[in-house]
């Protein structure tokens, strides 16, 4: 332990000499530069009470290291640790990133600071960036995101698109859904979004929210007629083409399953499901997803110290962080020191009773379609 500490003190002195030096040492090539930066940044991370901002060399090394880490968990770690001036610009740029997980992470970091929140509000006020910002906030779903989204949903002067987008974004997670119920109860939700809100909340996985919403919001006509037993359903035949349309659209299956490259990677790839499951097994898989929960797809809920609940599949877990893939196929990285509780859920992440969306014939069509999904010879 002693020698360890000694080593860091030496590193600290070296670092100070290097980074504080007015003469910039330019690394010969990018690899050498990256190695040097990594050493400096590691040393800085361990030096308490040294303000790296006083050293231009250290600032440059930190910024380069942050750029290199973009899109990885290290990025967030570095931003939180060093909070470099002007980092908001980099975070804002990544809000529009194709990598949705990175966009959500940046939004979270921005919402953590006063200046960041101001910038997010500016993006919401700008018609060009409002919708994409609303979407990212919906994916984030923490208390701050929910309150920003509700101000949009309540503002009758904003365009319908933005308000409807906010309602849909709020409906993505439980805190947002509860907020929608609250707004509907207070009658501050603008009239033209009531139907959308009612339809979205009627599909909530949270019974308490669903019931509360049914009292204050218009309810869509759902097909909730009882189905015949599975063995009889399996004898009916459907339409493959209609089944594919249902699978990709109203049935929401492609939100979680990939078939031949189309769809999102939350549940298992179904490109060859026709080789694997009988019709009966397919029907059961849709009606009772929790019966067939497979080890690779166990559903977890993580409670964080700021009261947020992130639910989804556990992609990885280390001493430092846990990664949860949500139903939106977003990878949420949660640092272990923010985790209050991790709980395995008995319920599948796949919603139950999807036949309420598809109707009986729609379900049969989807099954017919799945029987055609086979290994290419
Ligand atoms: C929110 C994500 C989600 C949605 C939406 C969803 N599924 Fe799933 N599905 C899963 C997950 C995750 C599994 C893995 C088993 C489990 O944990 O329940 C699964 C399992 C399955 C299986 C069994 C696969 C196997 O290899 O045994 C079938 C079949 C299936 N889903 C079909 C569908 C169909 C059809 C729809 C649309 C009507 C649908 N799913 C909608 C997430 C989803």
């Amino acid at each position: 332990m002693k020698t360890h500490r000694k080593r860091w003190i030496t590193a600290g002195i070296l670092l100070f000499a290097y980074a504080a030096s007015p003469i910039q040492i330019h690394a010969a090539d990018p690899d050498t530069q990256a190695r040097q930066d990594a050493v400096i940044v590691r040393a800085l991370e361990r030096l308490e009470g040294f303000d790296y901002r006083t050293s231009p060399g250290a600032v440059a090394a930190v910024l380069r290291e942050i750029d290199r880490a973009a899109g990885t968990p290290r990025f967030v770690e570095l931003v939180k640790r060093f909070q470099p001036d002007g980092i908001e610009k980099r975070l804002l740029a990544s809000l529009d990133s194709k990598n949705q997980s990175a966009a959500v992470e940046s939004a979270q970091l921005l919402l953590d600071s006063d200046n960041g929140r101001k910038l997010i509000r500016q993006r919401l006020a700008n018609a060009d960036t409002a919708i994409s910002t609303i979407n990212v906030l919906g994916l984030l779903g923490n208390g701050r995101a929910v309150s920003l989204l509700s101000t949009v949903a309540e503002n009758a002067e904003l365009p319908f698109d933005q308000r409807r987008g906010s309602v849909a974004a709020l409906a993505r997670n439980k805190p947002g859904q509860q907020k929608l119920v609250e707004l509907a109860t207070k009658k501050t939700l603008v009239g033209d979004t009531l139907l959308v809100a009612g339809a979205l909340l009627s599909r909530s996985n949270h019974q308490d929210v669903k019931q509360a919403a049914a009292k204050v919001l218009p309810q869509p006509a759902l097909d909730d007629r009882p189905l015949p037993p599975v063995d009889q359903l399996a004898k009916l035949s459907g339409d493959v083409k209609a089944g594919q349309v249902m699978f990709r659209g109203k049935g929401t299956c492609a939100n979680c399953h990939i078939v031949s490259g189309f769809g999102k990677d939350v549940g298992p790839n179904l490109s060859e499901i026709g080789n694997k499951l009988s019709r009966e097994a397919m029907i059961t898989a849709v009606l009772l997803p929790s019966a067939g929960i497979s080890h690779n797809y166990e559903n977890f809920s993580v409670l964080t110290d700021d009261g947020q609940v992130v639910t989804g599949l556990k992609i990885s877990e280390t001493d430092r962080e846990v990664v949860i893939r949500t139903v939106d196929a977003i990878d949420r990285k949660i640092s272990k020191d923010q985790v209050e509780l991790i709980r395995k859920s008995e319920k599948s992440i796949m919603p139950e009773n999807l036949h309420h969306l598809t109707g009986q014939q729609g379900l049969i069509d989807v099954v017919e379609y799945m029987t055609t999904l086979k290994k290419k010879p």
Side-chain angles (χ1 to χ4, degrees):
M1 211 49 211
K2 269 239 167 71
T3 51
H4 196 67
R5 188 177 305 150
K6 214 184 257 165
R7 216 167 348 122
W8 280 115
I9 293 173
T10 321
I13 294 168
L14 278 176
L15 162 80
F16 190 79
Y18 167 77
S21 137
I23 309 154
Q24 269 298 302
I25 304 162
H26 284 284
D29 64 286
D31 284 350
T32 315
Q33 173 98 76
R35 266 198 307 277
Q36 284 182 0
D37 290 347
V39 170
I40 294 175
V41 170
R42 289 240 173 72
L44 284 172
E45 281 180 287
R46 281 162 173 88
L47 277 178
E48 297 292 331
F50 168 65
D51 183 6
Y52 79 100
R53 288 187 179 83
T54 56
S55 149
V59 170
V62 166
L63 288 177
R64 280 191 300 262
E65 193 69 352
I66 286 179
D67 281 342
R68 276 184 210 105
T72 71
R74 180 86 174 129
F75 178 82
V76 179
E77 208 176 275
L78 289 170
V79 170
K80 282 196 182 145
R81 171 68 174 78
F82 291 104
Q83 306 184 347
D85 301 330
I87 189 67
E88 282 91 358
K89 270 216 192 87
R90 282 175 164 78
L91 293 174
L92 276 181
S94 111
L95 279 189
D96 296 316
S97 149
K98 286 256 178 324
N99 176 345
Q100 283 197 316
S101 301
V104 169
E105 228 149 47
S106 300
Q108 176 147 32
L109 288 168
L110 282 165
L111 288 183
D112 282 346
S113 77
D114 289 341
N115 196 23
R117 280 195 292 279
K118 200 172 92 199
L119 291 166
I120 295 259
R121 271 191 226 102
Q122 282 169 3
R123 276 180 62 105
L124 283 173
N126 176 339
D128 291 336
T129 49
I131 296 281
S132 68
T133 311
I134 286 167
N135 288 338
V136 176
L137 291 176
L139 295 172
L140 180 57
N142 64 13
R144 288 198 165 116
V146 164
S147 81
L148 281 173
L149 287 170
S150 68
T151 59
V152 176
E154 284 178 293
N155 187 343
E157 317 219 309
L158 290 173
F160 174 65
D161 268 10
Q162 292 180 23
R163 282 181 291 104
R164 184 189 48 195
S166 295
V167 167
L170 284 165
R172 279 176 176 275
N173 46 63
K174 190 168 185 188
Q177 294 175 0
Q178 287 168 324
K179 191 68 174 184
L180 281 175
V181 171
E182 184 192 316
L183 300 185
T185 311
K186 286 195 302 186
K187 303 203 189 311
T188 56
L189 205 57
V190 186
D192 56 5
T193 53
L194 291 176
L195 257 179
V196 185
L200 291 170
L201 293 191
S202 72
R203 304 207 306 248
S204 169
N205 284 337
H206 308 287
Q207 287 308 320
D208 49 336
V209 174
K210 205 160 141 174
Q211 282 164 11
K215 292 192 191 121
V216 288
L217 286 164
Q219 295 296 289
L222 275 182
D223 188 349
D224 56 1
R225 281 168 294 178
L227 291 173
V230 174
D231 59 337
Q232 285 184 35
L233 279 175
K235 290 193 189 113
L236 305 172
S237 59
D239 181 283
V240 175
K241 194 84 212 137
Q244 184 188 41
V245 172
M246 182 63 85
F247 189 94
R248 294 184 171 188
K250 203 170 151 201
T252 69
C253 320
N255 289 354
C256 293
H257 294 288
I258 295 184
V259 170
S260 309
F262 184 92
K264 285 191 179 162
D265 180 20
V266 178
N269 187 316
L270 298 182
S271 302
E272 295 174 3
I273 195 68
N275 293 113
K276 185 183 163 193
L277 296 184
S278 67
R279 274 173 190 269
E280 283 197 23
M282 286 177 188
I283 295 169
T284 314
V286 177
L287 297 181
L288 284 177
S290 298
I293 221 164
S294 73
H295 182 65
N296 292 334
Y297 294 97
E298 278 167 339
N299 195 11
F300 283 81
S301 289
V302 177
L303 174 67
T304 65
D305 53 7
D306 58 358
Q308 201 187 345
V309 181
V310 180
T311 299
L313 307 174
K314 190 162 77 181
I315 299 297
S316 69
E317 180 169 4
T318 64
D319 293 344
R320 278 163 52 192
E321 64 167 18
V322 48
V323 181
I324 299 288
R325 180 165 300 167
T326 68
V327 290
D328 308 301
I330 300 293
D331 289 348
R332 295 290 300 274
K333 296 164 193 142
I334 306 154
S335 128
K336 271 289 176 65
D337 34 275
Q338 290 185 306
V339 171
E340 289 278 323
L341 187 79
I342 301 187
R343 203 172 38 121
K344 190 154 85 184
S345 163
E346 296 305 316
K347 282 209 166 184
S348 170
I349 187 176
M350 176 163 155
E352 276 165 26
N353 294 323
L354 277 170
H355 68 284
H356 285 174
L357 289 182
T358 61
Q360 176 176 324
Q361 190 55 46
L363 172 65
I364 302 300
D365 291 343
V366 166
V367 168
E368 197 72 56
Y369 166 62
M370 287 197 288
T371 61
T372 66
L373 303 176
K374 293 198 164 148
K375 204 178 262 156
K376 306 277 172 301

